[in-house]
């Protein structure tokens, strides 16, 4: 299955991309996606990261499905 | 329904946000207006840096959802009538308004409390990031980290 | 000096009040916007009356002095940078803004506190009176009596 | 000496005038002025009144001087 991964702000800058599609085995969790992304983009490894699944904050054990959208980012700084 | 959550790349007019939340039975509206600071303290060095301008980036669909969740939560928690939140994205000059939160309520105490709660939560949960641009570089500002923003 | 206290018979634009108190080192402005209510409770009967419009009358030179005293007192008491207060006088339609108080401060907590204190004190000390006009009469509203307003 | 007395809102409505000059013996206090006004405008007698001397709230024992301005009014209701 294919999951879309998005980066914003500092993570987009560190990863050097704003989005990519990654291929995963079925029944993967959100945490698995985060691990794969950290392996692929080693600069993200030192960051304290937050992530969302389908535009809702993820805790990690959510099962991701084909076509899902995961965003990976640092602590928000709006306002 | 007078509640609204919006993102815009245009300048925000505080009056037009504050007036949109006013219902006929209400007595007061409290509005928080946040804006781009010229000087910020560098947490690592303690020195003061001069910012030339700022850029705000948002994860737009999620930011809108989180803003709407905040409005719903505030209305459950405080005796308020209506809430409007508008956050600006893109490039902002120093002094320009980045966010406006207006809360209308029959009694002003609740509007003050809700408005203060909303800006605190917005800064913690709404996926928007600020980049400060200096004469000699730029920096994506990182907020307070929390394991469970929402 | 960005502080100001004003009386006007023209409509008040919240944005133009809030923006005038913004200094470059500040982070947030809190604005209280009070306006003419359509429905008010009659304290003697407990019933609800519909107001057609309002008239505000002020003892103008003393009202300005009292507003300036409030600004000075707020700046002594809270960590704030600037305060602007504009009160409208004359005839006001329902929903029109009667008073705007904007407080700018480096940290928003102080701006919330000062703004809430200022509206409470303004309602207690500034010599302005409100007349509610109904379909069948009119009534000068009396505030909370206090032996020592100032 | 002559003191100017002003009324606003409810007191102007009850007194039927907005201002008047009254003549007083020297060394009169603000409270004396208020007493005279209440005698003159009996409708004001039932009101809880506040007053100011030269645009500052008065407590009553202030000595008034020729040309001073006293305002008499009910509890304020601005905001």
């Amino acid at each position: 299955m294919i999951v879309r991964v998005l980066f914003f702000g500092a993570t987009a800058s560190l990863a050097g991309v704003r989005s990519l599609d990654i291929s995963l085995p079925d029944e993967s969790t959100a945490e698995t996606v985060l691990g794969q992304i950290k392996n692929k983009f080693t600069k993200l490894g030192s960051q304290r990261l937050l992530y969302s699944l389908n535009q809702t904050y993820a805790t990690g054990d959510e099962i991701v499905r084909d076509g899902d959208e995961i965003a990976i980012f640092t602590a928000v700084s709006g306002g | 329904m007078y509640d609204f959550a919006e993102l815009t790349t245009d300048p925000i007019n505080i009056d037009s946000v504050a007036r949109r939340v006013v219902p006929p039975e209400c007595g007061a509206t409290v509005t928080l207006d946040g804006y781009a600071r010229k000087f910020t303290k560098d947490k690592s060095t303690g020195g003061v840096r001069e910012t030339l301008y700022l850029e705000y980036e948002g994860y737009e669909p999620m930011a809108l959802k989180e803003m709407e969740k905040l409005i719903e939560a505030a209305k459950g928690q405080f005796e308020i009538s209506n809430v409007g939140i508008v956050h600006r994205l893109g490039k902002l000059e120093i002094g320009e308004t980045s966010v406006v939160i207006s809360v209308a309520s029959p009694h002003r105490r609740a509007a003050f409390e809700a408005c203060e709660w909303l800006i605190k939560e917005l800064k913690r949960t709404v996926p928007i990031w600020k980049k400060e641009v200096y004469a000699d570089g730029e920096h994506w500002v990182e907020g307070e980290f929390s394991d469970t923003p929402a």
Side-chain angles (χ1 to χ4, degrees), chain A, chain B:
Chain A
M1 65 171 181
I2 303 287
V3 170
R4 163 144 293 205
V5 178
L6 307 176
F7 302 103
F8 294 93
T11 57
S13 170
L14 290 166
V17 293
R18 301 193 63 83
S19 72
L20 77 161
D21 290 342
I22 62 166
S23 186
L24 290 159
D26 284 356
E27 303 295 309
S28 295
T29 63
E31 198 162 21
T32 312
V33 179
L34 184 66
Q36 290 217 2
I37 291 295
K38 281 185 172 176
N39 284 341
K40 189 172 170 67
F41 301 99
T42 51
K43 284 186 184 171
L44 292 176
S46 59
Q47 301 292 309
R48 304 191 72 173
L49 297 173
L50 296 169
Y51 52 129
S52 63
L53 175 61
N54 298 328
Q55 302 160 12
T56 300
Y57 279 101
T59 54
D61 51 6
E62 296 86 352
I63 302 295
V64 299
R65 301 185 195 289
D66 187 56
D68 277 356
E69 180 177 292
I70 285 193
I72 297 172
F73 45 82
T74 56
V76 305
S77 55
Chain B
M1 276 297 290
Y2 293 81
D3 300 317
F4 51 95
E6 293 173 0
L7 298 168
T8 177
T9 53
D10 294 326
I12 302 172
N13 181 286
I14 304 163
D15 192 76
S16 67
V17 178
R19 297 307 299 175
R20 278 169 63 195
V21 298
V22 175
E25 78 276 11
C26 268
T29 297
V30 172
T31 300
L32 180 286
D33 160 28
Y35 31 80
R37 291 180 200 225
K38 187 162 190 173
F39 300 105
T40 52
K41 204 173 247 180
D42 185 318
K43 278 172 194 165
S44 48
T45 69
V48 170
R49 277 192 111 165
E50 183 176 348
T51 302
L52 299 184
Y53 64 89
L54 289 101
E55 275 181 34
Y56 281 90
E57 181 174 317
Y59 179 12
E60 300 192 27
M62 181 171 164
L64 288 170
K65 282 185 193 178
E66 290 293 327
M67 286 155 74
E68 284 155 10
K69 280 185 198 168
L70 289 181
I71 292 174
E72 202 182 339
K75 294 183 81 170
Q77 217 176 124
F78 303 98
E79 294 283 326
I80 56 178
S81 301
N82 298 310
V83 177
I85 305 178
V86 180
H87 202 297
R88 188 158 166 204
L89 299 177
K91 182 178 173 179
L92 271 80
E93 302 298 335
I94 298 306
E96 284 197 296
T97 293
S98 53
V99 64
V100 170
I101 301 178
S102 284
V103 181
S105 68
H107 301 288
R108 63 181 186 273
R109 181 87 267 266
F112 277 107
E113 286 178 350
C115 190
E116 191 167 5
W117 182 85
L118 281 160
I119 182 63
K120 178 171 67 70
E121 290 298 302
L122 179 145
K123 285 172 171 274
R124 201 174 67 82
T125 66
V126 176
I128 293 173
W129 300 269
K130 174 167 64 178
K131 184 169 74 176
E132 292 175 350
V133 180
Y134 319 109
D136 61 349
E138 57 181 48
H139 171 63
W140 279 105
V141 178
E142 197 167 338
E144 293 283 312
F145 186 87
S146 139
D147 274 319
T148 51

